[in-house]
Amino acid sequence: QVQLEESGGGLVQAGGSLRLSCAASGRTASRYAMGWFRQAPGKEREFVAAISFTGGSTVYADSVKGRFTISRDTTKITVYLQMNSLKPEDTAVYYCAADWRYPQIAAQSYEYWGQGTQVTVSS
């Protein structure tokens, strides 16, 4: 079992930055690949970024490439999403997810999910 808890969301103006964190707990948490997803009101949950369990490989959605960076700390149990040059269309609830397979961009492929953190970007 892996438990995930996101933090770091909030309200920011367009062009600003936020860093989201996802703390994973559980005996095998460090062995899982991690992903970030987001879901805006009335829309499906969409892939944002993923990182391998070693931290050595990452993938990004085209919509965030060059603006967002996913990373994980040396313990491999905290994953970050640095979001720069934020746009109003980035407004959504952001979720982190864990799965032993990598890379996975489909939400249904992930086994564990956090509760989400709200990110709101004002214009």
Side-chain angles (χ1 to χ4, degrees):
Q1 287 283 342
V2 175
Q3 294 80 43
L4 304 173
E5 183 173 3
E6 305 94 337
S7 61
L11 173 64
V12 63
Q13 288 188 331
S17 299
L18 279 177
R19 189 176 81 157
L20 305 183
S21 299
C22 175
S25 59
R27 192 168 58 88
T28 59
S30 64
R31 301 178 191 174
Y32 280 74
M34 302 287 285
W36 284 99
F37 287 76
R38 65 187 182 187
Q39 189 166 19
K43 295 188 175 181
E44 293 188 353
R45 194 167 296 189
E46 66 171 350
F47 171 77
V48 175
I51 188 166
S52 63
F53 85 95
T54 65
S57 178
T58 58
V59 293
Y60 296 91
D62 288 343
S63 59
V64 306
K65 203 171 293 183
R67 299 188 298 123
F68 291 10
T69 302
I70 188 172
S71 62
R72 64 195 306 166
D73 68 4
T74 55
T75 68
K76 301 182 177 61
I77 60 173
T78 301
V79 176
Y80 305 99
L81 185 69
Q82 177 67 44
M83 306 185 294
N84 299 327
S85 302
L86 282 161
K87 305 174 182 180
E89 51 263 45
D90 294 318
T91 295
V93 177
Y94 283 70
Y95 299 89
C96 69
D99 195 80
W100 64 269
R101 297 164 294 181
Y102 174 86
Q104 298 290 330
I105 64 172
Q108 57 264 34
S109 299
Y110 283 80
E111 185 173 5
Y112 300 106
W113 289 87
Q115 294 300 308
T117 185
Q118 175 71 47
V119 171
T120 303
V121 184
S122 63
S123 57

